[in-house]
Structures are given as structure tokens and as C-alpha cells.
Amino acid sequence: MKLITGTTKLLGVIGNPIKHSLSPVMHNAAIAALGLDYVYVALPVAPSDLATAIAGFAAIDLRGFSITIPHKQAIIPLLNQVSDVAQAIGAVNTVWRTEQGWSGTNTDVIGFLAPLKIYDRDWSQTTAVILGNGGAARAVVAGCAQLGCAAVKVVGRDRQKLAAFQQSWVTSPIPVELSIHTWDELPSLLPDADLIVNSTPIGMHPHDQASPLEDAIATQIAQGAIAYDLIYTPSPTRFLRQAQQQGAIAIDGLEMLVQQGAAALEIWLGQTAPVEVMRQALRDYLGL
Ligand code: NAP
């Protein structure tokens, strides 16, 4: 193991709580593989301390950091520059230091898109159905917009939240034509869906037997469609198993997690991230 010395540079992740973050696992594995004099640590920051913490990070020359719940939105006014994609999503997950101060972006879209890029599809002819309208769904919508999907259909259970979600994209730097739907509409939405993304936590460990889709509704998934679950434990989730039974392609959330981290590391270090090392470190840690 590499020695931490007086020259070691600091990266980290802020959140509250933060002790369950997987980011230190994959980033320190990458730093070790690259033989760099860096260390990546989890930094608990209470919401009331956020501005103080960010000012302190500049003072101690922290090179960059990841942001997780509950700071992804609150950090935006504390940054000197925010990328278009982070503005569209309304959340920042990666911050780095420039001569102008702190810059922020959101690498979840890169992470979401990475495992889709291996499929040779004419995305301009595809319909995406997104289950859930929370924070992760925003990155998925931005990803579908970048793919150029013909239709993006967002399914939620709260009509007010759905309407606000749709409205937020009207003036977004990443414009997207999206429609909003309630869960009872799924039987008519699924047969035409080329990409179905679960962005709800339904089915996440320890609720391994749960699925966002009842079995009878899951039979509406078209053969050859791509079913994408943002959940990474268990793998596969019940939703992905249901989709595979219909002849759909299944993608779990691990690659998104790895690739959003790799994109952040590349911003901080200015060099290619060892994606396979990061993936394996997470697999080992999660027992996958
Ligand atoms: P979030 O902001 O809390 O949003 C969750 C969404 O799911 C909300 O729209 C919520 O509806 C809906 N939902 C929750 N329980 C539901 C239920 N029983 N029935 C119907 N809808 C339900 O969470 P998030 O940050 O978007 O995360 C969502 C999932 O994505 C989590 O499992 C998370 O671990 C995963 N994720 C993975 C990655 C990755 O890198 N792989 C990245 C981000 C997130 P309401 O708004 O009506 O409550």
C-alpha cells in the first residue's frame, strides 16, 4: 500500500451521512493502480456547514470532490462555474478547482450513457420510458435527450411532482420533449418502449423480491427492448429478470456508478481512469 506523506494530495466526497459511500473504494483503487500521490476520503458535512466546508476546502488545497445527498443542489450557488448539464439536471456531483474558483458538473449522464453506447441503435427512432421522477431520473432524461430519443415518457405517482418535473425542462439548457404519465398507463406505454429505465429504488437490496412492475405488466415489455435498472444491488434485480424473460436486454446500475466516477477522476487528474480496476474494486466490495 502506498504511503501517505506530506506531499499527498487530497480528494474527497461530501455528504450527510457519508459513511456508506462507495466512492472511496473505487477512487482509491484507481489512485493505487495509477501510482499517484493522492488519497480520496469521505468527508461528513452537515447542511448548515456546507459554505464553511467549501471555503475551507480552498484553504487546504483540496483538489476536487464528489457531492452526494443532501448537497447536490445546495452546492450550486457556492460554485463559480456550473456546466450546462449540471444546470439542466439541477444537481452537481463533481467539483474541481480552477483559477476562477470552484467549477462543478454532473457526471451521472456520462455514467448513464456509457453502457448504452455499445448498442448500435438509431436512437432518433426510439421511445424511452422512465420509471420514477426523482433526482436520478433527471440524469436519465438528460441522457435520453443527448441520445436524441424520439420520445421520453416519464412515469410517476404524484401528479404535482410530475408536472413540476416536466415544467423544469421547458427552460433547461438541454431541451427535451417529454411527456408525463401515471403508473396506470404503463400497459399502453410498455409495448412501444425501446428503452425502459427504473429510476425508483423499488427492488433495491434488501427488498430483492420487489419490482416496479407487476409480473402481468412486465409481459408487455417488447422483445429486444433495453431494460436498464439504476440499482446495482442485487444484480440482476427482479425488474431485470422480468425483462430478460421477455427477451429484453438487461443493464444494471453498476456501470453507471463506475463510469460517473471514472469521468470525475478524469476531470481531477487529467488522465484516463482505470475503469476496469474501479469496476472490480466495487464488485469485490459489494460481493458481486
Ligand atoms: P429519489 O430522488 O428519491 O427518487 C426516487 C423516485 O422513485 C421518486 O420519483 C419516487 O416517487 C419514486 N418512488 C420511490 N418509491 C416508490 C414506490 N414505492 N412507488 C412508486 N414510485 C416510487 O432517488 P434517486 O436519487 O433518484 O435514486 C433512485 C434510484 O436510483 C436509487 O435506487 C438509487 O440507488 C439509484 N441510483 C443509481 C445510480 C447509479 O450510479 N447506478 C445513481 C443515482 C441513483 P415520489 O417522488 O413520488 O416519492
Side-chain angles (χ1 to χ4, degrees):
M1 193 180 163
K2 194 184 176 312
L3 211 58
I4 295 174
T5 68
T7 63
T8 303
K9 293 177 271 305
L10 191 60
L11 296 167
V13 55
I14 62 166
N16 186 32
I18 196 62
K19 61 183 176 190
H20 298 298
S21 172
L22 297 171
S23 296
V25 173
M26 67 173 157
H27 286 308
N28 286 314
I31 288 165
L34 293 169
L36 298 176
D37 191 15
Y38 278 83
V39 65
Y40 182 106
V41 292
L43 302 163
V45 176
S48 56
D49 290 334
L50 185 61
T52 311
I54 305 310
F57 291 164
I60 62 169
D61 197 24
L62 190 107
R63 299 301 165 102
F65 55 98
S66 315
I67 301 111
T68 188
I69 292 167
H71 304 310
K72 287 184 174 194
Q73 290 88 27
I75 195 155
I76 292 177
L78 302 173
L79 302 176
N80 302 84
Q81 286 151 355
V82 177
S83 69
D84 279 356
V85 72
Q87 282 179 30
I89 296 171
V92 163
N93 76 342
T94 303
V95 169
W96 68 100
R97 191 97 192 130
T98 69
E99 283 179 6
Q100 287 76 40
W102 293 115
S103 278
T105 191
N106 193 309
T107 62
D108 280 342
V109 179
I110 296 174
F112 169 70
L113 291 175
L116 289 172
K117 292 210 163 138
I118 60 171
Y119 297 102
D120 185 23
R121 304 245 159 150
D122 179 0
W123 294 102
S124 70
Q125 301 297 315
T126 59
T127 294
V129 169
I130 302 167
L131 309 176
N133 55 296
R138 301 195 64 83
V140 174
V141 168
C144 290
Q146 285 193 14
L147 287 173
C149 292
V152 179
K153 302 181 177 182
V154 177
V155 179
R157 59 182 172 178
D158 182 320
R159 286 178 195 275
Q160 273 190 332
K161 281 190 191 172
L162 274 173
F165 187 94
Q166 186 178 38
Q167 183 59 31
S168 72
W169 291 94
V170 173
T171 53
S172 153
I174 300 178
V176 58
E177 279 295 319
L178 69 82
S179 55
I180 49 175
H181 305 268
T182 47
W183 286 84
D184 54 312
E185 294 175 63
L186 268 181
S188 63
L189 298 178
L190 285 180
D192 298 328
D194 305 287
L195 172 65
I196 307 151
V197 183
N198 178 29
S199 77
T200 78
I202 307 171
M204 188 159 67
H205 185 73
H207 305 290
D208 299 25
Q209 286 314 308
S211 166
L213 304 183
E214 288 169 18
D215 284 339
I217 291 178
T219 60
Q220 301 298 311
I221 295 174
Q223 188 176 8
I226 298 176
Y228 193 147
D229 203 330
L230 302 195
I231 294 170
Y232 39 84
T233 48
S235 178
T237 55
R238 174 135 181 244
F239 163 63
L240 291 184
R241 283 187 276 118
Q242 289 170 318
Q244 282 171 319
Q245 277 169 12
Q246 301 308 313
I249 295 162
I251 300 176
D252 70 26
L254 189 74
E255 199 60 15
M256 176 173 172
L257 184 67
V258 171
Q259 297 281 355
Q260 62 79 28
L265 203 63
E266 290 179 5
I267 291 171
W268 297 322
L269 303 179
Q271 67 184 94
T272 305
V275 174
E276 180 51 34
V277 169
M278 298 170 81
R279 189 184 293 126
Q280 196 54 48
L282 282 181
R283 281 191 180 284
D284 292 347
Y285 186 78
L286 293 169
L288 296 174

